[in-house]
Amino acid sequence: DAKTTQPTSMDCAEGRAANLPCNHSTISGNEYVYWYRQIHSQGPQYIIHGLKNNETNEMASLIITEDRKSSTLILPHATLRDTAVYYCIVGNNNDMRFGAGTRLTVKP
Amino acid sequence: GAVVSQHPSRVICKSGTSVKIECRSLDFQATTMFWYRQFPKQSLMLMATSNEGSKATYEQGVEKDKFLINHASLTLSTLTVTSAHPEDSSFYICSARAGAGGGETQYFGPGTRLLVL
């Protein structure tokens, strides 16, 4: 019973912005949107999270629609090292459950 | 961000033996730690949630007597795979969070790869 829907895979050219969408139409009022990524054979790495407002940090930007039913993670200048599986997770941090994620491949 | 470590990073054991995996929060106190399992080409699956000083809460289908979890301090949780069998071979990952409120970030360890022969 996945709470989020993400494309299975995406490609992005090195140096361009990578925009990763996530649908979470059943999100409830107290649930946050979290983004993690997992590079092969490593533990997931925290990227960013938000509740209602758009957020930006040194890694990425998170754009959440006004109705909160979808969001987009933006990597402004993708590098080859950004190739990974990106997970969008909705919850209040009590039980963070992973869907299948989006496999982003950054190409030279 | 906060750092979570796991030990060992990889372990090979014989069928029938027990294996202990340690998860430590290095620069923060973790009120709650989580254990996940990941099979090849699959996503992470939550196994159990443990709060310091209390019994772990296991997900449906996860045998609590086989996967023993101890969260004795605010910086250490251990997962013991008892009487391991080849089907227990997997990538085990822990995570930890500091607070209990919504919006708290979970930080993940690097994972432990278990191979049972």
Side-chain angles (χ1 to χ4, degrees):
Chain A
D1 56 343
K3 288 185 173 182
T4 63
T5 304
Q6 298 178 253
T8 302
S9 63
M10 292 181 64
D11 291 343
C12 176
E14 186 179 19
R16 304 296 295 268
N19 297 291
L20 291 89
C22 180
N23 287 325
H24 32 80
S25 59
T26 61
I27 190 171
S28 61
N30 64 345
E31 290 183 318
Y32 287 71
V33 180
Y34 295 86
W35 282 85
Y36 286 81
R37 71 180 181 185
Q38 186 178 29
I39 296 170
H40 183 63
S41 296
Q42 298 181 24
Q45 177 189 22
Y46 167 77
I47 301 174
I48 199 166
H49 75 283
L51 182 63
K52 296 180 181 179
N53 299 321
N54 298 336
E55 302 288 344
T56 296
N57 63 20
E58 65 278 4
M59 289 183 67
S61 294
L62 173 61
I63 308 298
I64 303 174
T65 58
E66 192 169 343
D67 62 7
R68 304 210 318 126
K69 292 184 177 182
S70 65
S71 61
T72 302
L73 178 74
I74 301 173
L75 307 179
H77 305 286
T79 70
L80 299 179
R81 286 178 295 180
D82 292 322
T83 292
V85 178
Y86 287 75
Y87 296 100
C88 169
I89 302 167
V90 164
N92 53 16
N93 211 22
N94 285 334
D95 56 356
M96 197 163 286
R97 298 171 189 274
F98 287 72
T102 295
R103 181 171 298 278
L104 174 69
T105 303
V106 181
K107 298 186 174 181
Chain B
V3 179
V4 176
S5 71
Q6 282 185 241
H7 178 80
S9 58
R10 58 178 62 225
V11 56
I12 301 174
C13 71
K14 293 182 179 179
S15 184
T17 61
S18 295
V19 175
K20 179 184 284 188
I21 302 170
E22 293 185 350
C23 176
R24 294 181 185 273
S25 56
L26 298 185
D27 51 2
F28 68 101
Q29 293 187 324
T31 56
T32 307
M33 288 185 168
F34 305 84
W35 287 95
Y36 294 81
R37 180 168 53 181
Q38 185 175 33
F39 292 108
K41 298 186 178 181
Q42 294 186 20
S43 187
L44 283 78
M45 183 187 75
L46 180 65
M47 298 176 67
T49 301
S50 73
N51 292 296
E52 185 264 340
S54 61
K55 291 183 179 180
T57 302
Y58 291 81
E59 294 298 303
Q60 189 173 9
V62 178
E63 301 174 55
K64 63 179 182 180
D65 294 330
K66 180 168 184 62
F67 299 99
L68 302 178
I69 292 173
N70 183 283
H71 191 166
S73 78
L74 286 172
T75 58
L76 173 65
S77 176
T78 60
L79 168 68
T80 301
V81 183
T82 62
S83 187
H85 291 284
E87 58 265 30
D88 298 322
S89 298
S90 188
F91 192 45
Y92 291 87
I93 307 168
C94 73
S95 69
R97 72 165 192 232
E104 287 287 341
T105 301
Q106 281 189 35
Y107 296 97
F108 286 79
T112 296
R113 193 162 299 282
L114 170 64
L115 177 61
V116 184
L117 301 177

